[in-house]
Amino acid sequence: MEHQRQLIELNEQLALISREVEASVAAGHYDLPKICEGLVIGLLRAIYGWDDLRNLNTADNPNFPSIDLADERRRIAVQVTATPSLDKVRDTLTTFLDHDLDQCYDRLVLYMLTKRQRSYSVAAIEKVVRGRLRFDPKNDILDFSSLAQKAQLATPAAVAQAVSELKAYRRGVPVGLDDTDFDPPSSPCETLTTNLLEVYFPSTLFVADLQSSARRARRTADARAGVRDALRAKCRTAPSDYVANGGQIYTFHDLRDQHGPFWPIIDPGTVTELEPQEYYDLDDDAERVFKSILRFLLQQRLYQRRVVWKHEPSLFVFYPLREGDNDRKETWIGKRRSTVTVFQRKMNRNDPSKVLSVRHLSFAPRFVRMFGRWYLAIRPDWYFSSGPNYDASPYGPDLLAGLKRLEHEASVRNRLRFWCWWLAHMEDDDLFAEGSRPGPRLAIREQLEVAGGRWLNDDLWGPVTGFDQDSGEERQATLDLEWR
């Protein structure tokens, strides 16, 4: 039956678009959600019958406050977003009401391009709307599954129109055109290498109540300080891989172990064992806490390799292997074995006793969950420091801007490849590394690759040349990385 086939195809296409948006956002690309605003207009017109829906983000007003689409005749406003969190819902409602848009529209709908949460706190939403707007999370927060359910009651013509909209956006041409009506790519497809590394963590998460001596204010920094101070009072040292939240401690360390690092400051009768997914699937807050646990687990592991977390710029940065060293080199294997300078202290040529600059190779981490798997997203960066504690240099922004002006595509790609290889192969010698100690480990795998990308000619991404102030000659921007 053709109508049934169309419904199945609609469900598949909606789910595929949702996954593509999720992957795009996880990789740090936000153009696809913006492009999807037009697609959502077509889908809502077809399935919900909101024929007068239009895009408010026009060239004259590219960022209309709080909402993206509107049907003035039906007095319906729509926000299209890839962020399905309760915080996003509350922020949208707050902005909507702050601009008195409830005077123009009787209903506000949020369309989640990714999968909506299982539930949203009605009490939290009521605190925002304060009776000014009737907002029902079950009916006013939609995603692809909402469209699929609504389509079951739609006419065959409406479903066919929705499928046509989806196909047109996926192919880039109206569905009525045949593949021969536009030029196919003359070059073969290639494999795309992302900045995502799949991560694996222990299978059991432990939670326990903290003793009163270890409890602090609810802020994460204060709560962690409370744990550290309580352990210090008992002549214990706290590892980094834990989160203190709401008077409880969350960690992959076995809290049942009387010889474990946290045993002296917990209530043993409250120790609970959880499967990680059982916890991070609870709500957005639980997922944020779990991401913090993963980051602290990575921080603990990298600290043993003299790669240190800098909170203010949110970067992991290479330190010298020994204090007083002026450089540090790491070996990695790409197409061949290569060496990269990951830390360099440059001295003033006229006065070698004075430090000119201290440069660290670094990266910004972000943990993301896609399709039931966890990934570490890597953004390579640089960090400039000063002083014995490697605090951020006041000249860092200027030095970083100058450095990035000289960078070319190959150097950025190589830095990403280096970080991905180095992180994935840390465990090769972790057990024998100086300062290494037993404990929970975060296993990191190779870069995620996606087949089928459009082929691009890398030769067109030529190197940028810069002006060497010392020699007065033009040079290629190798940035002293010593890739060889």
Side-chain angles (χ1 to χ4, degrees):
M1 187 174 180
E2 179 62 19
H3 181 52
Q4 184 178 15
R5 187 193 67 78
Q6 292 269 32
L7 285 171
I8 293 173
E9 184 171 8
L10 176 66
N11 294 348
E12 292 175 347
Q13 293 287 339
L14 287 172
L16 183 59
I17 288 287
S18 177
R19 290 196 297 269
E20 288 179 348
V21 171
E22 186 175 5
S24 177
V25 172
H29 304 302
Y30 298 93
D31 53 340
L32 186 55
K34 199 67 178 175
I35 292 171
C36 283
E37 288 179 4
L39 172 61
V40 173
I41 289 177
L43 294 174
L44 294 179
R45 284 176 178 171
I47 296 176
Y48 280 81
W50 299 342
D51 299 327
D52 298 319
L53 203 63
R54 65 186 182 91
N55 197 331
L56 298 178
N57 295 323
T58 61
D60 297 330
N61 191 7
N63 194 14
F64 199 89
S66 175
I67 58 177
D68 302 304
L69 321 175
D71 184 331
E72 271 78 14
R73 185 167 67 87
R74 294 177 176 82
R75 293 175 64 88
I76 298 173
V78 181
Q79 160 78 219
V80 181
T81 178
T83 307
S85 66
L86 176 61
D87 287 343
K88 177 63 177 179
V89 174
R90 289 187 297 195
D91 289 345
T92 299
L93 287 167
T94 299
T95 307
F96 184 86
L97 295 173
D98 285 348
H99 286 81
D100 295 323
L101 295 178
D102 56 314
Q103 302 298 315
C104 303
Y105 306 103
D106 299 328
R107 183 182 180 189
L108 173 62
V109 173
L110 277 79
Y111 185 84
M112 306 298 181
L113 292 167
T114 55
K115 188 176 181 180
R116 55 165 284 163
Q117 291 183 186
R118 293 179 181 177
S119 63
Y120 292 86
S121 171
V122 175
I125 290 173
E126 286 298 329
K127 288 182 180 179
V128 176
V129 299
R130 301 186 302 277
R132 291 179 57 186
L133 180 72
R134 184 178 296 176
F135 186 86
D136 180 6
K138 291 184 179 179
N139 297 319
D140 295 329
I141 301 179
L142 310 178
D143 65 0
F144 69 92
S145 61
S146 308
L147 289 178
Q149 291 174 9
K150 184 72 172 178
Q152 299 292 327
L153 305 176
T155 64
V159 174
Q161 182 183 345
V163 171
S164 176
E165 292 284 344
L166 283 163
K167 285 184 174 180
Y169 265 80
R170 291 197 56 77
R171 298 171 68 229
V173 294
V175 70
L177 296 180
D178 187 76
D179 287 344
T180 58
D181 293 332
F182 64 98
D183 294 331
S186 58
S187 304
C189 294
E190 65 180 0
T191 299
L192 303 179
T193 302
T194 72
N195 67 331
L196 302 174
L197 294 90
E198 190 168 1
V199 297
Y200 299 88
F201 37 80
S203 58
T204 303
L205 178 67
F206 293 90
V207 184
D209 290 348
L210 290 166
Q211 296 178 8
S212 58
S213 61
R215 296 186 182 184
R216 286 276 180 92
R218 294 182 66 85
R219 277 201 321 124
T220 301
D222 290 341
R224 285 177 62 82
V227 170
R228 290 194 299 269
D229 292 346
L231 285 173
R232 192 177 297 118
K234 297 180 182 294
C235 300
R236 294 286 191 99
T237 301
S240 298
D241 45 352
Y242 70 93
V243 166
N245 183 55
Q248 292 183 308
I249 187 168
Y250 299 79
T251 182
F252 286 113
H253 286 272
D254 190 346
L255 296 179
R256 303 165 302 179
D257 183 5
Q258 298 185 21
H259 301 289
F262 302 107
W263 180 263
I265 62 170
I266 64 171
D267 181 353
T270 64
V271 174
T272 303
E273 302 174 45
L274 298 172
E275 291 186 0
Q277 186 171 359
E278 183 182 356
Y279 176 69
Y280 61 67
D281 268 349
L282 286 175
D283 52 36
D284 281 352
D285 288 336
E287 183 169 313
R288 277 194 293 271
V289 170
F290 189 75
K291 288 179 179 179
S292 295
I293 298 171
L294 294 182
R295 203 264 291 167
F296 286 126
L297 189 61
L298 178 63
Q299 178 177 328
Q300 176 71 29
R301 186 174 176 192
L302 290 178
Y303 184 78
Q304 299 172 14
R305 304 297 301 272
R306 296 282 290 172
V307 178
V308 179
W309 173 252
K310 290 294 185 181
H311 179 71
E312 188 60 34
S314 298
L315 295 173
F316 282 108
V317 305
F318 269 107
Y319 272 27
L321 290 175
R322 292 169 298 275
E323 292 303 329
D325 287 352
N326 286 336
D327 63 12
R328 174 180 174 181
K329 300 181 188 296
E330 291 287 336
T331 299
W332 68 291
I333 300 175
K335 293 182 179 179
R336 60 183 183 274
R337 183 176 293 273
S338 305
T339 302
V340 55
T341 300
V342 298
F343 170 85
Q344 186 175 49
R345 181 183 285 112
K346 283 191 173 183
M347 312 305 292
N348 190 304
R349 291 184 178 181
N350 297 325
D351 186 353
S353 65
K354 293 183 179 180
V355 177
L356 189 62
S357 67
V358 181
R359 189 176 71 193
H360 311 246
L361 194 62
S362 65
F363 77 90
R366 188 160 64 95
F367 287 96
V368 295
R369 180 164 57 126
M370 296 189 306
F371 319 131
R373 298 177 180 271
W374 280 93
Y375 296 90
L376 171 62
I378 299 291
R379 178 174 61 80
D381 210 332
W382 297 100
Y383 176 78
F384 290 89
S385 70
S386 62
N389 296 322
Y390 303 108
D391 297 324
S393 169
Y395 306 105
D398 293 333
L399 293 170
L400 183 61
L403 194 75
K404 289 192 172 182
R405 280 196 297 269
L406 295 177
E407 284 188 314
H408 51 86
E409 186 269 341
S411 63
V412 176
R413 183 178 68 244
N414 275 336
R415 282 194 287 124
L416 174 62
R417 290 173 57 223
F418 163 75
W419 270 120
C420 291
W421 186 93
W422 192 85
L423 290 168
H425 291 81
M426 279 193 304
E427 61 189 16
D428 293 350
D429 57 352
D430 258 2
L431 294 177
F432 306 100
E434 183 180 354
S436 179
R437 55 183 173 181
R441 290 190 177 269
L442 184 71
I444 301 175
R445 295 296 177 254
E446 303 288 348
Q447 285 173 274
L448 174 66
E449 293 186 340
V450 180
R454 180 71 177 269
W455 182 84
L456 297 175
N457 185 354
D458 290 338
D459 292 339
L460 299 179
W461 298 78
V464 178
T465 58
F467 191 77
D468 192 319
Q469 295 181 352
D470 295 326
S471 65
E473 297 178 352
E474 194 175 48
R475 60 178 176 81
Q476 183 172 318
T478 59
L479 304 177
D480 298 323
L481 277 177
E482 298 184 19
W483 301 103
R484 58 177 181 267

